[in-house]
Amino acid sequence: MIKLKLFWKIYKIWFIRLILLASTSIILLIGYWYFEKQKTEAKIFSDYQLIEVSKNKTKLKLYLADTPKKSTTGLSIVTSLPKNQGMLFTFPQKSYHSFWMKNMKISIDIIFLSDGKITDILENITPESYPQTFTSSVPANQVIEINAGESKSLGLNVGDFIDLTFIK
């Protein structure tokens, strides 16, 4: 017992230093990982226009899929999606647009709109649903994809209006 007390007295400061060093290292690694992830996401969406829309006092940041390639790829290029972010698809004319989950790694909600008015909300669509397609029940010219469950947490309902008139 005396030897243990003596050992602790001698090495206590080194033990504390080791714990502090380990904690600092972990914090630095987490910070590095977080900022690297942010840079990767910025690179992925570097050629996308970022649109901000507000709904129910919440701002949504939507990446605009404004080319056929971007529309085909959609969110299949991401492994995670920050809260209140998603993708906006716009089409020159209203039609029964279909979406699938090819190469997707995350579950999403798909919101179909006709001139900003929500016509359909398809919730919790999983990557495992591929090759099933998901189509609007009425002609739509805009579609928003967000994280699964966010349409409910944002209080979105069929008939609600999201102002997208500033997008050409």
Side-chain angles (χ1 to χ4, degrees):
M1 184 72 164
I2 296 174
K3 287 183 182 180
L4 184 61
K5 285 183 181 180
L6 182 61
F7 175 82
W8 179 247
K9 197 176 212 179
I10 294 170
Y11 291 105
K12 180 167 86 173
I13 191 73
W14 291 106
F15 181 73
I16 292 170
R17 287 180 181 170
L18 181 63
I19 296 295
L20 288 173
L21 180 64
S23 301
T24 304
S25 297
I26 290 170
I27 290 169
L28 289 172
L29 284 171
I30 291 170
Y32 176 77
W33 170 81
Y34 176 78
F35 287 111
E36 281 301 309
K37 186 177 177 185
Q38 295 294 324
K39 286 196 294 188
T40 301
E41 183 179 299
K43 288 178 191 173
I44 289 172
F45 292 116
S46 63
D47 62 335
Y48 286 75
Q49 180 181 355
L50 184 61
I51 306 295
E52 282 195 13
V53 296
S54 294
K55 185 63 185 163
N56 298 338
K57 298 182 181 179
T58 302
K59 285 188 178 180
L60 288 174
K61 293 181 179 181
L62 304 173
Y63 293 99
L64 182 60
D66 55 0
T67 66
K69 183 179 186 306
K70 290 177 185 176
S71 291
T72 302
T73 304
L75 290 173
S76 68
I77 56 178
V78 299
T79 56
S80 65
L81 192 61
K83 186 177 179 182
N84 298 329
Q85 285 193 15
M87 187 161 284
L88 171 65
F89 302 82
T90 60
F91 303 96
Q93 41 194 335
K94 295 179 186 178
S95 185
Y96 293 92
H97 298 286
S98 295
F99 285 73
W100 62 6
M101 297 295 284
K102 184 177 182 180
N103 299 324
M104 289 288 287
K105 296 153 196 81
I106 60 170
S107 298
I108 59 171
D109 290 348
I110 302 174
I111 304 162
F112 293 93
L113 303 101
S114 179
D115 296 327
K117 183 179 179 182
I118 298 175
T119 59
D120 291 292
I121 301 174
L122 306 179
E123 296 179 280
N124 298 311
I125 309 299
T126 65
E128 296 77 28
S129 65
Y130 177 77
Q132 181 182 356
T133 59
F134 301 91
T135 306
S136 57
S137 64
V138 297
N141 61 339
Q142 299 152 328
V143 177
I144 294 174
E145 292 180 348
I146 55 178
N147 279 311
E150 280 195 348
S151 59
K152 186 169 287 218
S153 67
L154 291 169
L156 299 178
N157 296 296
V158 171
D160 286 355
F161 184 79
I162 298 177
D163 186 13
L164 300 170
T165 55
F166 57 90
I167 301 169
K168 297 177 181 172

